[in-house]
Amino acid sequence: GCSRCLTAAEGRSTPRTRLATATITPTGTPIAGATITPSSATGADSTPVLVDQNGNDNGWPDAAYGGPDFLICWNTGIGAGDDNVLARVATTTLGFPGSEFTVAGGTTDQFPSKVAWSPTNGEWFVVYRDSVTGGGDIYGMRCTTAGATAGVAQQLSSGAADDWFPGLAVNTASNEALVAWINGAGPFLVLAQRISLDFLPPTVPVLVVVPCGGDTTPTLDWSDSTDLP
C-alpha cells in the first residue's frame, strides 16, 4: 500500500519504517529481511539480505523492534526431531552488529518462536515450544541488545498434553507478557497466561476457547485493568 493509505489507516501523519522477514525456499532455506518504507514506489527501500549464517533449513521467522534495533528470531533444523531457536540483532538499516546466537538449543525440537520487546527491562523476550520433557511445553528466554541470552529459560507451561504455537504480546504499563498457545489435550484448547517480565510467579493459565460440544460457559473474571497508551 501507499504511504497515504498506511498512515491514514494508522492515524499517523508521517510514514514509518517497518521490518519484514520472509522464509525463502527451496532447501537450505535462508531467512531474509528487508526494511520497508511505505512511501517508496516498490514498498521496500532495500533488497532482502541474508539473516542466518548456518546453511541449514531455516523457518518460522519473527521480529520485534526495541531500543535502536530489531531482534529477528527463527528456527533452524539441526537434524530429525532437532530444531533450535536462533536470533540475530539487526539495525533499522538492516545491518548486523553481531552474529546469530542460540536462544534455545539441545537435542529436542524447539519451535516455533515469537519475540517481543520489554522497554522496562531494555531487552527482548522470546517464547517457544520445547519437547525436552516428553510433551511439548512453552518456555521463555530473555535476550539482550548485545545479541545474547540472559538468565535461564523459564518454563511457562507443563502437563502431558502438547503445547504448541505460542503467541506473545507485552503490556508495557505493567511489564507483563501475555502468552497464548494451543494445548493438544483433545480437543485442542487455547490457553493464555500473564507472565511478569520481572519474573514474579506467573499467573495460572486461563482457558480461552471452550471446545465444541462442551457444556461450560466461558466467563471473564477481571482482577485489575490498565489503560494502554
Side-chain angles (χ1 to χ4, degrees):
C2 64
S3 169
R4 182 177 300 170
C5 296
L6 287 173
T7 55
E10 296 180 350
R12 299 181 183 276
S13 58
T14 57
R16 297 184 65 182
T17 298
R18 304 282 180 80
L19 178 73
T21 58
T23 301
I24 301 177
T25 54
T27 301
T29 314
I31 300 298
T35 53
I36 295 177
T37 302
S39 58
S40 73
T42 62
D45 62 4
S46 65
T47 56
V49 301
L50 184 64
V51 176
D52 71 85
Q53 302 172 294
N54 54 68
N56 299 329
D57 281 335
N58 297 278
W60 302 95
D62 194 31
Y65 177 76
D69 296 317
F70 293 95
L71 185 71
I72 306 171
C73 66
W74 69 93
N75 297 93
T76 187
I78 305 300
D82 184 8
D83 274 50
N84 293 165
V85 179
L86 302 182
R88 196 175 187 188
V89 175
T91 67
T92 55
T93 57
L94 214 51
F96 299 102
S99 301
E100 66 184 23
F101 62 96
T102 300
V103 176
T107 58
T108 54
D109 269 338
Q110 292 101 12
F111 79 94
S113 57
K114 291 289 184 181
V115 58
W117 171 255
S118 165
T120 301
N121 294 3
E123 60 190 18
W124 291 281
F125 189 56
V126 177
V127 295
Y128 56 92
R129 181 254 194 194
D130 193 342
S131 60
V132 66
T133 60
D137 296 317
I138 306 301
Y139 289 77
M141 175 64 79
R142 296 156 55 208
C143 295
T144 71
T145 55
T149 57
V152 298
Q154 306 287 316
Q155 186 172 351
L156 307 180
S157 74
S158 61
D162 274 344
D163 295 319
W164 281 94
F165 300 108
L168 176 65
V170 170
N171 180 345
T172 58
S174 60
N175 199 33
E176 290 180 341
L178 177 67
V179 184
W181 65 88
I182 297 173
N183 176 270
F188 289 169
L189 309 173
V190 175
L191 301 181
Q193 187 170 359
R194 291 163 47 219
I195 306 296
S196 170
L197 295 183
D198 298 320
F199 295 108
L200 302 174
T203 61
V204 176
V206 175
L207 177 64
V208 176
V209 177
V210 177
C212 294
D215 58 0
T216 302
T217 302
T219 60
L220 183 60
D221 183 15
W222 289 102
S223 58
D224 63 285
S225 64
T226 303
D227 292 332
L228 299 180

